[in-house]
């Protein structure tokens, strides 16, 4: 199962900083993350970027393997 690290608002709304997922694509992972957590989770997760093994998942078809490390990152502001 892929290791999924959650940060900031995503961690707050999902109640965890890390979890495991058997999703095989970025889109499937997003669906798994919001399932059972309501509209608030969907609003947060859909705005987050997913980094799969250090590479930004540009679309929902981006593959995730059982050995992947996925970071769920909220939008950042400032500089």
């Amino acid at each position: 199962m892929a290791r999924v690290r959650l940060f900031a608002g995503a961690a707050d709304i999902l109640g965890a900083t890390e979890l495991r997922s058997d999703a095989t694509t970025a889109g499937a992972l997003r669906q798994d993350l919001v399932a059972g957590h309501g509209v608030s989770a969907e609003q947060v997760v859909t705005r987050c970027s997913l980094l799969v093994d250090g590479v930004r998942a540009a679309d929902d078809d981006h593959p995730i393997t059982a050995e992947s490390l996925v970071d769920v990152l909220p939008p950042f502001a400032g500089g």
Side-chain angles (χ1 to χ4, degrees):
M1 296 182 109
R3 182 177 166 207
V4 181
R5 297 188 301 185
L6 304 160
F7 296 91
D12 291 343
I13 200 87
L14 297 173
T17 57
E18 189 170 310
L19 51 86
R20 298 285 179 167
S21 175
D22 58 2
T24 58
T25 65
L29 175 61
R30 286 184 193 279
Q31 289 177 348
D32 287 351
L33 292 175
V34 301
H37 289 95
V39 174
S40 296
E42 183 175 1
Q43 291 172 342
V44 170
V45 171
T46 57
R47 289 184 173 91
C48 289
S49 294
L50 301 182
L51 293 181
V52 180
D53 299 321
V55 176
R56 186 176 180 274
D59 57 44
D60 284 346
D61 294 328
H62 191 101
I64 297 173
T65 68
E67 294 80 28
S68 290
L69 172 62
V70 182
D71 291 324
V72 181
L73 303 170
F76 293 97

